[in-house]
Amino acid sequence: GENVEQHPSTLSVQEGDSAVIKCTYSDSASNYFPWYKQELGKRPQLIIDIRSNVGEKKDQRIAVTLNKTAKHFSLHITETQPEDSAVYFCAVCVTGGFKTIFGAGTRLFVKA
Amino acid sequence: KAGVTQTPRYLIKTRGQQVTLSCSPISGHRSVSWYQQTPGQGLQFLFEYFSETQRNKGNFPGRFSGRQFSNSRSEMNVSTLELGDSALYLCASSFRDSDNSPLHFGNGTRLTVT
């Protein structure tokens, strides 16, 4: 079945630095790749998503890149702020699969 | 528009008992998915419903079951509870198919099995 690997599991950066989280997937039919942010004690919330016909998408300080050939995608956060501290989950979907498969999560610490 | 509502927020049960969790999706959302979240296993897919039909099921034992009603509200049931069932159970709804559009999560039900 579909498998998603996410690295690193923990990431600590200084405020203002960039953070990069990487995910790889196994099913070449995957075509929707959302990213969710979960703050401590709160629900996961979508922060950005990308579809297989797009290589890169940006929303202010957040960007996602997708390499379909290599089957990996990455989340880039620039100019990190303390409020970016949270757990980030990548996810993969296959249209018609009727499920979202999540990576194990990356705990991001942004030090002020 | 009200978000996804899950009840109850907390549950404490004893091994061997059964439990029913409830989820009301965002108005207009017809797809409801359930996930189990634990510190060691992350977010594990349980099942997905659309128009009262289960369209996919994760790798969980038959003790885990669910259903969806005509108003899109969903319930999940866990029978013969085990200590390992202690987790945060998250429900998520989506406007279109759950595999092609963002999931909107509820706050979850935290189940503790003693």
Side-chain angles (χ1 to χ4, degrees):
Chain A
E2 178 63 83
N3 185 46
V4 183
E5 292 190 4
Q6 182 172 348
H7 299 280
S9 57
T10 305
L11 179 60
S12 183
V13 300
Q14 204 68 36
E15 182 179 1
D17 287 350
S18 295
V20 180
I21 302 170
K22 299 181 180 181
C23 289
T24 59
Y25 59 97
S26 56
D27 191 340
S28 56
S30 301
N31 55 3
Y32 177 57
F33 307 89
W35 286 86
Y36 292 85
K37 173 184 179 183
Q38 187 176 28
E39 297 178 47
L40 191 62
K42 297 191 175 180
R43 69 186 80 181
Q45 290 190 296
L46 179 82
I47 53 172
I48 194 167
D49 57 7
I50 192 169
R51 300 183 189 277
S52 58
N53 58 345
V54 176
E56 184 173 356
K57 183 177 180 181
K58 189 172 181 181
D59 183 3
Q60 298 182 348
R61 298 186 295 109
I62 296 173
V64 58
T65 57
L66 170 65
N67 183 329
K68 283 201 66 180
T69 303
K71 289 191 275 188
H72 70 70
F73 57 114
S74 301
L75 178 73
H76 304 254
I77 305 174
T78 58
E79 300 172 24
T80 53
Q81 300 167 2
E83 51 264 40
D84 293 330
S85 296
V87 178
Y88 292 81
F89 293 95
C90 64
V92 172
C93 305
V94 176
T95 296
F98 308 124
K99 67 178 179 181
T100 300
I101 302 300
F102 287 84
T106 296
R107 187 172 295 276
L108 173 65
F109 296 96
V110 179
K111 297 174 286 187
Chain B
K1 193 182 270 190
V4 177
T5 303
Q6 289 188 248
T7 56
R9 287 297 307 278
Y10 302 93
L11 268 176
I12 299 176
K13 291 285 187 179
T14 305
R15 269 185 307 174
Q17 289 185 314
Q18 75 164 17
V19 67
T20 299
L21 313 181
S22 180
C23 171
S24 293
I26 291 172
S27 178
H29 287 196
R30 295 167 64 188
S31 170
V32 174
S33 304
W34 288 88
Y35 289 84
Q36 182 194 65
Q37 186 172 29
T38 57
Q41 297 296 318
L43 284 156
Q44 298 293 313
F45 173 75
L46 281 156
F47 21 67
E48 191 263 9
Y49 288 89
F50 187 92
S51 292
E52 302 179 67
T53 300
Q54 184 184 90
R55 297 193 297 186
N56 206 342
K57 189 178 191 303
N59 295 324
F60 280 82
R63 301 184 295 107
F64 291 80
S65 63
R67 59 178 175 168
Q68 186 181 35
F69 302 94
S70 58
N71 61 357
S72 293
R73 189 177 71 86
S74 178
E75 289 182 346
M76 68 163 281
N77 185 77
V78 189
S79 62
T80 320
L81 285 166
E82 300 177 359
L83 294 179
D85 296 334
S86 294
L88 179 67
Y89 290 88
L90 289 163
C91 166
S93 71
S94 58
F95 179 64
R96 294 190 298 271
D97 285 337
S98 61
D99 53 18
N100 199 30
S101 59
L103 298 176
H104 299 264
F105 285 90
N107 285 320
T109 293
R110 183 164 297 281
L111 172 64
T112 302
V113 182
T114 62

